Amino acid sequence: MNQIKKLAGQTLIYGLGTIIPRFLNYLFLTPVYTRLFLEPDYGILTKLYAYSAFLIVLLTFGTETSFFRFAKKYQTTRVFTNAFFFIVATATLSILVVGFNLDNITNALNIGGAKIAVVMIMGIVLTDIFMSLPFARLRYENKARLFSTLKIINVVLNIFFNVFFFFILPYLKDFAFFESIYYPGYTFQYAFMSNLLANIFTLILLIPSFRVNLKMLNQGIILKMLLYSYPIVLSGLAGMINDVGDKFILEYFIEGKEAANYAIGIYGANYKIATLMIIFIQMFKFAVEPFFFRISDQKDHKTTYALVTKAFSYTGLFILVAIIGYIDIFKHFIDSDYHVGLKIVPIVLLGNFFFGLYYNVSIWYKITDKTRFGVYFTFIGSIITLIVISLLVPGLGYMGAAIATLMCFVSMALTNILVGRKYYKINYDWANISKLLIVALILVTGFWLFRSDNIIYSLIFGTLIIFAFLISLWFVDREFLRKLKSK
């Protein structure tokens, strides 16, 4: 239990670097974008960020995880230097590819010939991958406060530039310099520009963490890192289909470019309401991955893994119930024009819960170097995603994409659990976790079916289902709660 409390403390600190930026985006950027952008423009923003996620996974090539895996064995600076050299090579190659194919890429993305958007999203990708290793180093060295501070600075700068471009620049347009950067028709272009400028400034602040020694370049270490990480990359790319692919695959199953971008805009905006669950998973991931590796040689590490997964599951289910219970509050973070898509929120919340569960139980193949299984699981998810989208989206629209997300993450979690029991058995308390999952599903379904249009009644009903879940948690696993409190 002391290990759990220590992890909780690290999770809280990392959470400041994840929750605060996400909340600031949630509280400011999402409401601003959905009120300033037409649905098709918001669809383009959503779609290009989804494509950028693919590129980041491909170009980083799993160097973060391989850095954690080999830093202790080969010395931190040596591993960092070799990983960074590889990232420089992939970044250079990507610049050449995009530069020589800019027109074709712009046309293929269906963004009305806005080349500047492609250039800026590529700049965001490159700055993100250059920041990935220094941030990984901060995590490995337990510099959680510095990590969180820099993450917060990044999003504050992003918001500042958004405020400047959308709300201040129009009043400065008559001045010579500002006139040259003012374009009244820009929407997603200014959003990308703000992100890029914030990344550049953050990258400058990370320079002290770029401690490299070219004399430590070693072909053998690079090869070992690549052999270790290539299954993670394949898994990551397939995972991107599961995670963000629904946000652009939609356009291939919806007739008309404008209609496709509109659907992506509605879907992407409502997906943002699930941000609290995604934030929780992200902050947990930052803390738990290095934590799991560090305790892997301890005698009772499997018991700790099981307790961590239980703590994650109970917290995740509470978040699910709380967001749905107060959906009439959370829905106002997007413009009312987008509320037509609220029906996807319970589905994507549940899907993301299962994704977090999948990530928790994935530790077995990472510490046993059987990372190929990550590829198998995510490819299963990708196949299910593509099949369900192709079958359901033509008839159900973006609702079909939400169902595909849920089915994908459920299948990945279940196959991971079943296979993991064979190769690296951990005694997870699936009985109690399943009981609480069933309770949460009953409460959420009942609320959604019988929720009132009257916001007062809706909030009262929502509060009741939240208390009902907490009471159920106490009855189902009071022993765990008592231990957590007493240690």
Side-chain angles (χ1 to χ4, degrees):
M1 283 295 178
N2 287 331
Q3 294 276 22
I4 302 296
K5 286 197 169 185
K6 182 179 179 181
L7 176 62
Q10 291 179 330
T11 300
L12 180 61
I13 296 173
Y14 281 116
L16 294 176
T18 306
I19 286 181
I20 292 178
R22 290 276 187 144
F23 259 123
L24 289 173
N25 279 324
Y26 193 51
L27 293 172
F28 179 78
L29 293 183
T30 299
V32 167
Y33 290 163
T34 57
R35 284 163 175 80
L36 292 181
F37 297 7
L38 295 174
E39 290 88 340
D41 280 357
Y42 192 79
I44 291 172
L45 181 83
T46 301
K47 179 171 59 177
L48 290 186
Y49 271 127
Y51 278 116
S52 73
F54 272 91
L55 286 175
I56 289 170
V57 170
L58 179 63
L59 297 179
T60 54
F61 209 83
T63 49
E64 289 177 90
T65 303
S66 59
F67 171 78
F68 292 136
R69 179 67 178 84
F70 293 105
K72 187 175 182 180
K73 182 177 182 179
Y74 292 114
Q75 199 264 331
T76 305
T77 301
R78 182 183 297 273
V79 176
F80 185 93
T81 299
N82 286 277
F84 181 70
F85 175 80
F86 177 79
I87 284 181
V88 171
T90 60
T92 303
L93 180 62
S94 67
I95 291 172
L96 294 174
V97 171
V98 173
F100 285 111
N101 296 278
L102 186 58
D103 289 332
N104 293 333
I105 293 172
T106 303
N107 293 331
L109 291 175
N110 180 26
I111 56 176
K115 293 182 183 179
I116 187 65
V118 175
V119 172
M120 287 188 289
I121 201 70
M122 197 62 207
I124 291 169
V125 168
L126 293 175
T127 48
D128 272 341
I129 67 171
F130 279 122
M131 289 191 294
S132 64
L133 272 179
F135 274 125
R137 188 174 203 159
L138 293 178
R139 289 167 60 196
Y140 184 79
E141 295 174 349
N142 289 323
K143 295 180 179 178
R145 288 181 176 84
L146 180 57
F147 175 95
S148 296
T149 300
L150 292 174
K151 287 287 187 178
I152 292 170
I153 288 173
N154 178 265
V155 76
V156 169
L157 286 171
N158 189 14
I159 291 174
F160 167 77
F161 286 121
N162 272 278
V163 170
F164 173 77
F165 285 121
F166 288 117
F167 300 108
I168 298 176
L169 184 59
Y171 294 100
L172 302 175
K173 62 184 179 181
D174 294 330
F175 295 91
F177 170 74
F178 297 110
E179 183 182 11
S180 66
I181 61 172
Y182 177 66
Y183 298 92
Y186 271 18
T187 52
F188 55 85
Q189 296 93 334
Y190 278 144
F192 292 143
M193 192 178 298
S194 299
N195 192 340
L196 177 57
L197 289 172
N199 278 8
I200 291 171
F201 279 100
T202 306
L203 193 58
I204 293 171
L205 295 175
L206 279 167
I207 288 176
S209 296
F210 282 94
R211 299 191 299 274
V212 298
N213 187 341
L214 295 181
K215 294 180 180 179
M216 291 183 172
L217 283 174
N218 185 294
Q219 185 177 355
I221 293 177
I222 293 178
L223 183 60
K224 287 181 180 180
M225 293 179 71
L226 296 183
L227 288 175
Y228 174 81
S229 63
Y230 89 85
I232 297 174
V233 178
L234 294 177
S235 175
L237 291 173
M240 285 299 102
I241 293 177
N242 307 333
D243 192 24
V244 299
D246 51 346
K247 297 176 182 67
F248 62 82
I249 295 175
L250 271 172
E251 71 175 319
Y252 298 105
F253 295 94
I254 296 177
E255 292 185 10
K257 294 181 179 181
E258 191 76 6
N261 284 332
Y262 173 86
I264 296 170
I266 295 291
Y267 182 73
N270 282 276
Y271 207 103
K272 286 287 187 181
I273 298 177
T275 293
L276 288 180
M277 180 70 79
I278 298 169
I279 287 171
F280 169 61
I281 294 169
Q282 185 79 22
M283 61 185 268
F284 203 83
K285 175 182 175 181
F286 276 134
V288 85
E289 185 171 48
F291 172 80
F292 276 167
F293 278 112
R294 281 198 304 271
I295 69 167
S296 61
D297 56 352
Q298 294 182 9
K299 185 177 180 180
D300 62 343
H301 68 280
K302 288 188 177 181
T303 301
T304 303
Y305 291 166
L307 290 172
V308 168
T309 299
K310 181 186 285 191
F312 168 86
S313 300
Y314 292 169
T315 308
L317 290 172
F318 172 77
I319 292 172
L320 167 66
V321 174
I323 293 177
I324 297 304
Y326 292 143
I327 190 65
D328 285 306
I329 294 176
F330 289 106
K331 71 180 183 181
H332 292 295
F333 287 105
I334 60 175
D335 190 71
S336 58
D337 288 342
Y338 293 80
H339 288 176
V340 65
L342 282 173
K343 57 190 176 183
I344 74 164
V345 176
I347 298 172
V348 298
L349 275 171
L350 184 61
N352 277 282
F353 165 77
F354 275 100
F355 175 69
L357 190 62
Y358 165 82
Y359 187 84
N360 266 269
V361 299
S362 294
I363 187 60
W364 72 266
Y365 66 72
K366 292 181 179 179
I367 64 174
T368 58
D369 292 344
K370 291 182 171 63
T371 51
R372 66 184 185 278
F373 282 98
V375 180
Y376 304 153
F377 301 143
T378 47
F379 267 101
I380 289 171
S382 298
I383 292 170
I384 289 174
T385 297
L386 295 173
I387 291 175
V388 175
I389 284 178
S390 64
L391 291 176
L392 298 185
V393 169
L396 298 178
Y398 49 78
M399 189 66 175
I403 295 171
T405 297
L406 173 61
M407 294 181 67
C408 161
F409 290 142
V410 169
S411 66
M412 287 172 59
L414 291 180
T415 52
N416 196 354
I417 291 167
L418 293 174
V419 176
R421 291 177 64 180
K422 177 181 178 181
Y423 288 94
Y424 197 80
K425 186 173 177 58
I426 298 174
N427 293 319
Y428 295 108
D429 189 1
W430 295 124
N432 283 335
I433 292 173
S434 298
K435 290 175 185 177
L436 266 297
L437 173 62
I438 292 170
V439 169
L441 291 177
I442 292 172
L443 292 173
V444 166
T445 302
F447 175 84
W448 203 263
L449 290 176
F450 301 107
R451 63 188 270 250
S452 172
D453 292 332
N454 184 301
I455 189 169
I456 302 299
Y457 293 152
S458 177
L459 292 178
I460 293 173
F461 192 6
T463 302
L464 288 175
I465 70 167
I466 292 171
F467 274 107
F469 177 80
L470 292 175
I471 292 169
S472 300
L473 174 57
W474 174 253
F475 278 106
V476 168
D477 205 353
R478 69 185 71 180
E479 189 64 28
F480 174 75
L481 298 176
R482 283 171 176 166
K483 288 181 179 179
L484 197 62
K485 183 178 180 181
S486 63
K487 293 293 182 179

